[in-house]
Amino acid sequence: MSFPLYAPAEEHHLLRETVRALADEKIAPHAAEADETEEFSWDVYKALVAADLHAVHVPEQYGGAGADALATVIVIEEVARACASTSLIPAVNKLGTVPLLLSASEELKSRYLAPVARGEAMFSYALSEPEAGSDAAAMKTRAVADGDAYVLNGTKMWITNAGISEYYTVMAVTDPSAGARGISAFVVEKSDEGVSFGPKEKKLGIKGSPTRQVILDDVRIPANRMIGDPGTGFKTALATLDHTRVTIAAQALGIAQGALDYAIGYVKERKQFGRPVADFQGLQFMIADMAMKLEAARQLTYHAAAKSERAMNGEPQKDLTFLSSAAKCAASDAAMEITTDAVQLLGGYGYTKDFPVERMMRDAKITQIYEGTNQIQRMVMARQLLK
Ligand code: CAA
């Protein structure tokens, strides 16, 4: 007999209620301001830390909350419903640390996961470069062995939370003759000599989360900061994305839910032709489609999260790569459609900053691009199906 892998437990429902209450009270009121000022809100970060929601995935043995992958998805979803930028705190803390959870020595895990769990440090992930986006293996950043150290040189680009994170998982070429098998992963600290950051990118959305280059200029780090063995960095990077594309799906679901909830409230209040516009069947059909697409993407995401959890617990799941790409792709495409329709439902008002749906539409766009464009996700899915 096979049981559904994805059924949320009572604890997951309770967690959702708790996070929603906190997000409504402490995060949502700052969302428009963070978007307008393009500033990271340390007050909101502190509120997440106080509730132990900033890096929920860190296992208990490293001082974390030990949330499973589905619980992590629910946290990210509910935070994103209020503010997409803020949801990048738990999401990117997971992205930066999964390489360690998958491949690092016990010593590296204890040293770096505990401060993240305590809320003293955030952890970013540095794979992309100016000339290596979708083709991540084309990276140029070099790490050259020198005694018991490595010296890193190069520029990483599009790094979420760069400058505010203390720690970075950095993928760099250790053997230029070996292609993807010549890439290794390292932990780099913000305080390492030679680390600097580019200016904040001026983005369409997620403006409350800084995106900057990480510039490595003769950064000398101890050899024991390598994550796993030499040459395994690219595999670790892709295996990480198998888990974290699920969290981008969660972010997309949250943004879409926020827009849908707002639009439903609006159409019941807004009167035209002498009655609430919710009375018109054309709008009812739009709302039904929005909710249908959202729920379909949610079920796929929860299913992928259950697979991710099993894989993390040492039970490899051969369809995780397919499912995480499918969830990310489906949820982000749904979020773009749903937020665009939410703007439409609010008409001219939806197009202004006096209402939150235009921000949600701008925020949704990035979910179709980062952690692999949706074209790359389709390529990954097709490769899994045809191999
Ligand atoms: N898990 C583990 N290993 C994997 C893997 C996976 N899911 N997929 C592939 N590999 C292995 C392969 O087996 C291969 O190893 P061998 O040579 O030993 O067999 C190796 O990795 C290279 O694989 P490919 O030949 O398939 O590699 P490729 O160069 O064709 O690239 C790709 C594959 C799917 C296009 C990959 O480059 C990719 O995903 N690109 C998109 C990059 C991306 O997602 N960037 C996101 C940056 S992070 C970000 O956006 C986050 C943020 O700030 C919020």
Side-chain angles (χ1 to χ4, degrees):
M1 194 185 297
S2 83
F3 296 97
L5 273 167
Y6 48 84
E10 187 53 32
E11 289 81 354
H12 290 116
H13 295 301
L14 288 173
L15 176 69
R16 183 188 299 283
E17 282 172 26
T18 308
V19 184
R20 184 168 293 197
L22 177 109
D24 284 347
E25 189 195 341
K26 301 243 163 89
I27 299 172
H30 299 278
E33 188 191 336
D35 179 61
E36 195 61 35
T37 60
E38 306 197 12
E39 289 296 331
F40 179 82
S41 169
W42 286 102
D43 285 344
V44 168
Y45 176 68
K46 282 181 199 150
L48 279 183
V49 171
D52 206 5
L53 295 172
H54 59 293
V56 282
H57 70 287
V58 176
E60 286 170 0
Q61 68 193 104
Y62 307 110
D68 65 30
L70 180 54
T72 305
V73 158
I74 289 169
V75 169
I76 293 168
E77 209 186 325
E78 289 302 323
V79 174
R81 180 176 169 274
C83 174
S85 294
T86 304
S87 70
L88 282 163
I89 295 169
V92 171
N93 272 336
K94 180 161 181 176
L95 177 63
T97 55
V98 168
L100 280 84
L101 289 166
L102 291 175
S103 308
S105 64
E106 212 39 59
E107 192 211 331
L108 272 195
K109 286 191 219 176
S110 332
R111 183 164 11 131
Y112 288 107
L113 295 177
V116 175
R118 288 196 296 268
E120 295 164 5
M122 286 185 276
F123 215 129
S124 292
Y125 175 89
L127 175 68
S128 306
E129 297 184 1
E131 302 298 329
S134 292
D135 186 6
M139 69 179 64
K140 296 275 180 294
T141 295
R142 278 297 311 264
V144 177
D146 182 21
D148 61 355
Y150 277 90
V151 179
L152 277 67
N153 278 288
T155 298
K156 292 293 177 180
M157 194 163 183
W158 311 122
I159 309 309
T160 303
N161 289 348
I164 57 170
S165 283
E166 286 300 317
Y167 307 135
Y168 298 81
T169 291
V170 172
M171 270 51 75
V173 176
T174 43
D175 179 356
S177 67
R181 293 181 190 183
I183 292 169
S184 305
F186 299 88
V187 177
V188 171
E189 301 187 9
K190 177 181 170 177
S191 58
D192 288 329
E193 210 179 319
V195 175
S196 63
F197 302 97
K200 278 199 279 185
E201 302 292 345
K202 295 189 172 76
K203 297 171 297 186
L204 178 70
I206 54 160
K207 295 185 184 202
S209 166
T211 307
R212 302 167 73 175
Q213 288 187 340
V214 176
I215 301 155
L216 307 159
D217 182 12
D218 276 336
V219 178
R220 190 182 177 84
I221 58 171
N224 65 12
R225 293 238 215 115
M226 187 185 279
I227 300 170
D229 292 327
T232 61
F234 195 64
K235 278 193 186 180
T236 297
L238 293 189
T240 296
L241 296 173
D242 282 351
H243 294 279
T244 58
R245 283 172 177 159
V246 183
T247 63
I248 297 304
Q251 185 186 43
L253 295 177
I255 298 169
Q257 187 71 60
L260 177 62
D261 290 349
Y262 197 90
I264 288 176
Y266 182 88
V267 296
K268 291 202 285 197
E269 293 293 322
R270 171 73 173 165
K271 287 202 175 72
Q272 290 292 280
F273 305 102
R275 48 190 169 142
V277 294
D279 283 1
F280 296 105
Q281 197 180 42
L283 271 57
Q284 291 173 2
F285 281 10
M286 280 176 75
I287 286 171
D289 280 344
M290 290 157 82
M292 175 180 69
K293 286 175 197 163
L294 179 54
E295 196 52 33
R298 179 174 284 122
Q299 293 307 315
L300 180 55
T301 303
Y302 289 6
H303 184 53
K307 295 275 181 173
S308 157
E309 181 60 20
R310 286 196 168 183
M312 270 291 180
N313 288 321
E315 272 184 73
Q317 303 290 308
K318 61 179 180 346
D319 49 0
L320 175 61
T321 299
F322 171 83
L323 285 170
S324 64
S325 279
K328 189 275 198 194
C329 193
S332 59
D333 284 350
M336 199 64 239
E337 290 172 21
I338 292 163
T339 54
T340 305
D341 281 350
V343 170
Q344 189 69 21
L345 287 170
L346 269 72
Y349 293 107
Y351 201 61
T352 70
K353 291 199 176 202
D354 296 333
F355 294 83
V357 286
E358 63 82 35
R359 182 188 81 240
M360 293 165 174
M361 182 177 129
R362 287 184 286 106
D363 287 344
K365 185 63 207 172
I366 192 60
T367 64
Q368 293 181 303
I369 297 173
Y370 60 16
E371 292 210 24
T373 63
N374 282 3
Q375 288 68 31
I376 289 290
Q377 308 308 327
R378 287 178 168 94
M379 201 176 98
V380 169
M381 286 187 269
R383 280 188 186 180
Q384 292 295 311
L385 296 168
L386 298 170
K387 73 179 180 189

